[in-house]
PDB file of all heavy atoms in Angstrom:
ATOM      1  N   LEU A  66     115.679  -3.074  95.758  1.00 92.00           N
ATOM      2  CA  LEU A  66     114.359  -3.510  95.299  1.00 92.00           C
ATOM      3  C   LEU A  66     113.951  -4.874  95.821  1.00 92.00           C
ATOM      4  O   LEU A  66     112.776  -5.223  95.833  1.00 92.00           O
ATOM      5  CB  LEU A  66     114.328  -3.542  93.767  1.00 92.00           C
ATOM      6  CG  LEU A  66     114.457  -2.194  93.058  1.00 92.00           C
ATOM      7  CD1 LEU A  66     114.434  -2.397  91.557  1.00 92.00           C
ATOM      8  CD2 LEU A  66     113.343  -1.253  93.483  1.00 92.00           C
ATOM      9  N   SER A  67     114.981  -5.676  96.168  1.00 87.00           N
ATOM     10  CA  SER A  67     114.654  -7.037  96.593  1.00 87.00           C
ATOM     11  C   SER A  67     115.621  -7.453  97.678  1.00 87.00           C
ATOM     12  O   SER A  67     116.742  -6.932  97.729  1.00 87.00           O
ATOM     13  CB  SER A  67     114.813  -7.976  95.402  1.00 87.00           C
ATOM     14  OG  SER A  67     116.170  -7.933  94.971  1.00 87.00           O
ATOM     15  N   PRO A  68     115.250  -8.356  98.563  1.00 88.00           N
ATOM     16  CA  PRO A  68     116.236  -8.858  99.522  1.00 88.00           C
ATOM     17  C   PRO A  68     117.313  -9.646  98.782  1.00 88.00           C
ATOM     18  O   PRO A  68     117.094 -10.079  97.648  1.00 88.00           O
ATOM     19  CB  PRO A  68     115.413  -9.771 100.430  1.00 88.00           C
ATOM     20  CG  PRO A  68     114.137 -10.023  99.735  1.00 88.00           C
ATOM     21  CD  PRO A  68     113.942  -8.982  98.683  1.00 88.00           C
ATOM     22  N   ALA A  69     118.450  -9.815  99.426  1.00 90.00           N
ATOM     23  CA  ALA A  69     119.551 -10.514  98.769  1.00 90.00           C
ATOM     24  C   ALA A  69     119.238 -12.004  98.660  1.00 90.00           C
ATOM     25  O   ALA A  69     118.704 -12.609  99.586  1.00 90.00           O
ATOM     26  CB  ALA A  69     120.828 -10.307  99.569  1.00 90.00           C
ATOM     27  N   HIS A  70     119.584 -12.554  97.505  1.00 92.00           N
ATOM     28  CA  HIS A  70     119.403 -13.973  97.294  1.00 92.00           C
ATOM     29  C   HIS A  70     120.787 -14.625  97.270  1.00 92.00           C
ATOM     30  O   HIS A  70     121.658 -14.220  96.494  1.00 92.00           O
ATOM     31  CB  HIS A  70     118.683 -14.181  95.960  1.00 92.00           C
ATOM     32  CG  HIS A  70     118.599 -15.610  95.558  1.00 92.00           C
ATOM     33  ND1 HIS A  70     117.791 -16.512  96.228  1.00 92.00           N
ATOM     34  CD2 HIS A  70     119.217 -16.290  94.568  1.00 92.00           C
ATOM     35  CE1 HIS A  70     117.928 -17.702  95.654  1.00 92.00           C
ATOM     36  NE2 HIS A  70     118.789 -17.580  94.640  1.00 92.00           N
ATOM     37  N   VAL A  71     120.993 -15.602  98.148  1.00 92.00           N
ATOM     38  CA  VAL A  71     122.318 -16.236  98.185  1.00 92.00           C
ATOM     39  C   VAL A  71     122.235 -17.668  97.692  1.00 92.00           C
ATOM     40  O   VAL A  71     121.400 -18.447  98.135  1.00 92.00           O
ATOM     41  CB  VAL A  71     122.907 -16.232  99.614  1.00 92.00           C
ATOM     42  CG1 VAL A  71     124.302 -16.835  99.608  1.00 92.00           C
ATOM     43  CG2 VAL A  71     122.931 -14.826 100.178  1.00 92.00           C
ATOM     44  N   GLN A  72     123.140 -17.983  96.754  1.00 92.00           N
ATOM     45  CA  GLN A  72     123.182 -19.315  96.186  1.00 92.00           C
ATOM     46  C   GLN A  72     124.554 -19.906  96.512  1.00 92.00           C
ATOM     47  O   GLN A  72     125.569 -19.217  96.343  1.00 92.00           O
ATOM     48  CB  GLN A  72     123.068 -19.161  94.663  1.00 92.00           C
ATOM     49  CG  GLN A  72     122.398 -20.287  93.964  1.00 92.00           C
ATOM     50  CD  GLN A  72     122.362 -19.981  92.467  1.00 92.00           C
ATOM     51  OE1 GLN A  72     122.539 -18.839  92.032  1.00 92.00           O
ATOM     52  NE2 GLN A  72     122.120 -21.001  91.676  1.00 92.00           N
ATOM     53  N   TYR A  73     124.576 -21.138  97.015  1.00 92.00           N
ATOM     54  CA  TYR A  73     125.870 -21.739  97.368  1.00 92.00           C
ATOM     55  C   TYR A  73     126.307 -22.751  96.314  1.00 92.00           C
ATOM     56  O   TYR A  73     125.481 -23.454  95.741  1.00 92.00           O
ATOM     57  CB  TYR A  73     125.774 -22.430  98.723  1.00 92.00           C
ATOM     58  CG  TYR A  73     125.727 -21.435  99.865  1.00 92.00           C
ATOM     59  CD1 TYR A  73     124.516 -20.959 100.340  1.00 92.00           C
ATOM     60  CD2 TYR A  73     126.906 -20.990 100.454  1.00 92.00           C
ATOM     61  CE1 TYR A  73     124.470 -20.040 101.375  1.00 92.00           C
ATOM     62  CE2 TYR A  73     126.872 -20.083 101.497  1.00 92.00           C
ATOM     63  CZ  TYR A  73     125.657 -19.599 101.955  1.00 92.00           C
ATOM     64  OH  TYR A  73     125.630 -18.695 102.965  1.00 92.00           O
ATOM     65  N   PHE A  74     127.605 -22.778  96.056  1.00 89.00           N
ATOM     66  CA  PHE A  74     128.188 -23.814  95.189  1.00 89.00           C
ATOM     67  C   PHE A  74     129.217 -24.520  96.027  1.00 89.00           C
ATOM     68  O   PHE A  74     130.289 -23.958  96.270  1.00 89.00           O
ATOM     69  CB  PHE A  74     128.888 -23.206  93.973  1.00 89.00           C
ATOM     70  CG  PHE A  74     128.065 -22.176  93.255  1.00 89.00           C
ATOM     71  CD1 PHE A  74     128.218 -20.824  93.549  1.00 89.00           C
ATOM     72  CD2 PHE A  74     127.139 -22.556  92.294  1.00 89.00           C
ATOM     73  CE1 PHE A  74     127.474 -19.871  92.894  1.00 89.00           C
ATOM     74  CE2 PHE A  74     126.392 -21.599  91.638  1.00 89.00           C
ATOM     75  CZ  PHE A  74     126.549 -20.257  91.929  1.00 89.00           C
ATOM     76  N   GLY A  75     128.886 -25.698  96.465  1.00 84.00           N
ATOM     77  CA  GLY A  75     129.828 -26.400  97.334  1.00 84.00           C
ATOM     78  C   GLY A  75     129.903 -25.661  98.663  1.00 84.00           C
ATOM     79  O   GLY A  75     129.025 -24.870  99.014  1.00 84.00           O
ATOM     80  N   ARG A  76     130.989 -25.884  99.411  1.00 81.00           N
ATOM     81  CA  ARG A  76     131.014 -25.354 100.745  1.00 81.00           C
ATOM     82  C   ARG A  76     131.508 -23.905 100.831  1.00 81.00           C
ATOM     83  O   ARG A  76     131.054 -23.114 101.637  1.00 81.00           O
ATOM     84  CB  ARG A  76     131.898 -26.249 101.617  1.00 81.00           C
ATOM     85  CG  ARG A  76     131.251 -26.307 102.993  1.00 81.00           C
ATOM     86  CD  ARG A  76     132.004 -26.990 104.048  1.00 81.00           C
ATOM     87  NE  ARG A  76     131.973 -28.441 103.985  1.00 81.00           N
ATOM     88  CZ  ARG A  76     132.912 -29.159 104.586  1.00 81.00           C
ATOM     89  NH1 ARG A  76     133.919 -28.572 105.196  1.00 81.00           N
ATOM     90  NH2 ARG A  76     132.861 -30.471 104.549  1.00 81.00           N
ATOM     91  N   ARG A  77     132.430 -23.583  99.960  1.00 84.00           N
ATOM     92  CA  ARG A  77     133.075 -22.279 100.085  1.00 84.00           C
ATOM     93  C   ARG A  77     132.501 -21.209  99.167  1.00 84.00           C
ATOM     94  O   ARG A  77     132.566 -20.040  99.450  1.00 84.00           O
ATOM     95  CB  ARG A  77     134.573 -22.413  99.733  1.00 84.00           C
ATOM     96  CG  ARG A  77     135.329 -23.287 100.682  1.00 84.00           C
ATOM     97  CD  ARG A  77     136.192 -22.407 101.594  1.00 84.00           C
ATOM     98  NE  ARG A  77     136.900 -23.234 102.542  1.00 84.00           N
ATOM     99  CZ  ARG A  77     138.055 -23.825 102.244  1.00 84.00           C
ATOM    100  NH1 ARG A  77     138.606 -23.641 101.060  1.00 84.00           N
ATOM    101  NH2 ARG A  77     138.651 -24.565 103.140  1.00 84.00           N
ATOM    102  N   LYS A  78     132.009 -21.675  98.022  1.00 91.00           N
ATOM    103  CA  LYS A  78     131.658 -20.678  97.014  1.00 91.00           C
ATOM    104  C   LYS A  78     130.193 -20.281  97.079  1.00 91.00           C
ATOM    105  O   LYS A  78     129.324 -21.115  97.328  1.00 91.00           O
ATOM    106  CB  LYS A  78     131.995 -21.220  95.623  1.00 91.00           C
ATOM    107  CG  LYS A  78     133.478 -21.417  95.484  1.00 91.00           C
ATOM    108  CD  LYS A  78     133.889 -21.652  94.078  1.00 91.00           C
ATOM    109  CE  LYS A  78     135.405 -21.626  94.026  1.00 91.00           C
ATOM    110  NZ  LYS A  78     135.908 -22.425  92.932  1.00 91.00           N
ATOM    111  N   SER A  79     129.969 -18.997  96.839  1.00 92.00           N
ATOM    112  CA  SER A  79     128.584 -18.540  96.868  1.00 92.00           C
ATOM    113  C   SER A  79     128.415 -17.318  95.978  1.00 92.00           C
ATOM    114  O   SER A  79     129.406 -16.645  95.645  1.00 92.00           O
ATOM    115  CB  SER A  79     128.189 -18.174  98.292  1.00 92.00           C
ATOM    116  OG  SER A  79     128.863 -16.992  98.678  1.00 92.00           O
ATOM    117  N   ARG A  80     127.162 -17.092  95.609  1.00 94.00           N
ATOM    118  CA  ARG A  80     126.869 -15.874  94.864  1.00 94.00           C
ATOM    119  C   ARG A  80     125.674 -15.190  95.504  1.00 94.00           C
ATOM    120  O   ARG A  80     124.642 -15.809  95.723  1.00 94.00           O
ATOM    121  CB  ARG A  80     126.558 -16.187  93.401  1.00 94.00           C
ATOM    122  CG  ARG A  80     126.261 -14.913  92.607  1.00 94.00           C
ATOM    123  CD  ARG A  80     126.104 -15.175  91.146  1.00 94.00           C
ATOM    124  NE  ARG A  80     124.956 -16.035  90.887  1.00 94.00           N
ATOM    125  CZ  ARG A  80     124.828 -16.786  89.781  1.00 94.00           C
ATOM    126  NH1 ARG A  80     125.772 -16.783  88.867  1.00 94.00           N
ATOM    127  NH2 ARG A  80     123.773 -17.528  89.613  1.00 94.00           N
ATOM    128  N   LEU A  81     125.883 -13.916  95.793  1.00 94.00           N
ATOM    129  CA  LEU A  81     124.815 -13.151  96.405  1.00 94.00           C
ATOM    130  C   LEU A  81     124.310 -12.175  95.348  1.00 94.00           C
ATOM    131  O   LEU A  81     125.110 -11.491  94.710  1.00 94.00           O
ATOM    132  CB  LEU A  81     125.389 -12.411  97.608  1.00 94.00           C
ATOM    133  CG  LEU A  81     124.508 -11.480  98.448  1.00 94.00           C
ATOM    134  CD1 LEU A  81     125.135 -11.359  99.841  1.00 94.00           C
ATOM    135  CD2 LEU A  81     124.418 -10.105  97.831  1.00 94.00           C
ATOM    136  N   SER A  82     123.000 -12.120  95.125  1.00 94.00           N
ATOM    137  CA  SER A  82     122.523 -11.169  94.125  1.00 94.00           C
ATOM    138  C   SER A  82     121.282 -10.426  94.602  1.00 94.00           C
ATOM    139  O   SER A  82     120.495 -10.940  95.395  1.00 94.00           O
ATOM    140  CB  SER A  82     122.274 -11.881  92.794  1.00 94.00           C
ATOM    141  OG  SER A  82     121.566 -13.070  93.013  1.00 94.00           O
ATOM    142  N   PHE A  83     121.164  -9.202  94.130  1.00 95.00           N
ATOM    143  CA  PHE A  83     119.988  -8.378  94.410  1.00 95.00           C
ATOM    144  C   PHE A  83     119.931  -7.280  93.364  1.00 95.00           C
ATOM    145  O   PHE A  83     120.816  -7.185  92.519  1.00 95.00           O
ATOM    146  CB  PHE A  83     120.034  -7.808  95.838  1.00 95.00           C
ATOM    147  CG  PHE A  83     121.203  -6.891  96.114  1.00 95.00           C
ATOM    148  CD1 PHE A  83     121.031  -5.509  96.138  1.00 95.00           C
ATOM    149  CD2 PHE A  83     122.475  -7.403  96.331  1.00 95.00           C
ATOM    150  CE1 PHE A  83     122.110  -4.668  96.383  1.00 95.00           C
ATOM    151  CE2 PHE A  83     123.553  -6.570  96.580  1.00 95.00           C
ATOM    152  CZ  PHE A  83     123.368  -5.203  96.605  1.00 95.00           C
ATOM    153  N   ARG A  84     118.896  -6.457  93.426  1.00 94.00           N
ATOM    154  CA  ARG A  84     118.785  -5.391  92.445  1.00 94.00           C
ATOM    155  C   ARG A  84     118.560  -4.060  93.144  1.00 94.00           C
ATOM    156  O   ARG A  84     117.965  -4.004  94.212  1.00 94.00           O
ATOM    157  CB  ARG A  84     117.627  -5.677  91.486  1.00 94.00           C
ATOM    158  CG  ARG A  84     117.962  -6.773  90.479  1.00 94.00           C
ATOM    159  CD  ARG A  84     116.735  -7.183  89.691  1.00 94.00           C
ATOM    160  NE  ARG A  84     115.705  -7.673  90.601  1.00 94.00           N
ATOM    161  CZ  ARG A  84     114.396  -7.504  90.398  1.00 94.00           C
ATOM    162  NH1 ARG A  84     113.947  -6.863  89.340  1.00 94.00           N
ATOM    163  NH2 ARG A  84     113.516  -7.977  91.264  1.00 94.00           N
ATOM    164  N   ILE A  85     119.118  -3.005  92.521  1.00 94.00           N
ATOM    165  CA  ILE A  85     118.813  -1.679  93.049  1.00 94.00           C
ATOM    166  C   ILE A  85     118.271  -0.810  91.914  1.00 94.00           C
ATOM    167  O   ILE A  85     118.529  -1.073  90.726  1.00 94.00           O
ATOM    168  CB  ILE A  85     120.029  -0.977  93.695  1.00 94.00           C
ATOM    169  CG1 ILE A  85     121.154  -0.757  92.683  1.00 94.00           C
ATOM    170  CG2 ILE A  85     120.532  -1.750  94.894  1.00 94.00           C
ATOM    171  CD1 ILE A  85     122.296   0.097  93.237  1.00 94.00           C
ATOM    172  N   LYS A  86     117.561   0.218  92.288  1.00 93.00           N
ATOM    173  CA  LYS A  86     117.013   1.139  91.309  1.00 93.00           C
ATOM    174  C   LYS A  86     117.823   2.425  91.407  1.00 93.00           C
ATOM    175  O   LYS A  86     117.889   3.062  92.464  1.00 93.00           O
ATOM    176  CB  LYS A  86     115.546   1.410  91.633  1.00 93.00           C
ATOM    177  CG  LYS A  86     114.848   2.319  90.648  1.00 93.00           C
ATOM    178  CD  LYS A  86     113.323   2.152  90.813  1.00 93.00           C
ATOM    179  CE  LYS A  86     112.581   3.274  90.104  1.00 93.00           C
ATOM    180  NZ  LYS A  86     112.435   4.466  90.964  1.00 93.00           N
ATOM    181  N   VAL A  87     118.498   2.767  90.298  1.00 90.00           N
ATOM    182  CA  VAL A  87     119.274   3.997  90.240  1.00 90.00           C
ATOM    183  C   VAL A  87     118.591   4.895  89.224  1.00 90.00           C
ATOM    184  O   VAL A  87     118.555   4.550  88.041  1.00 90.00           O
ATOM    185  CB  VAL A  87     120.727   3.722  89.804  1.00 90.00           C
ATOM    186  CG1 VAL A  87     121.527   5.015  89.773  1.00 90.00           C
ATOM    187  CG2 VAL A  87     121.380   2.710  90.726  1.00 90.00           C
ATOM    188  N   ASP A  88     118.094   6.016  89.647  1.00 85.00           N
ATOM    189  CA  ASP A  88     117.223   6.835  88.805  1.00 85.00           C
ATOM    190  C   ASP A  88     116.113   5.955  88.236  1.00 85.00           C
ATOM    191  O   ASP A  88     115.352   5.390  88.997  1.00 85.00           O
ATOM    192  CB  ASP A  88     118.025   7.542  87.701  1.00 85.00           C
ATOM    193  CG  ASP A  88     119.045   8.502  88.299  1.00 85.00           C
ATOM    194  OD1 ASP A  88     118.779   9.024  89.401  1.00 85.00           O
ATOM    195  OD2 ASP A  88     120.117   8.700  87.698  1.00 85.00           O
TER     196      ASP A  88
END
Side-chain angles (χ1 to χ4, degrees):
L66 294 179
S67 61
H70 173 70
V71 183
Q72 211 180 343
Y73 286 91
F74 312 95
R76 217 187 283 159
R77 296 255 178 84
K78 295 193 172 153
S79 70
R80 181 174 64 203
L81 178 157
S82 46
F83 62 102
R84 285 171 301 146
I85 61 172
K86 182 162 166 274
V87 181
D88 297 331

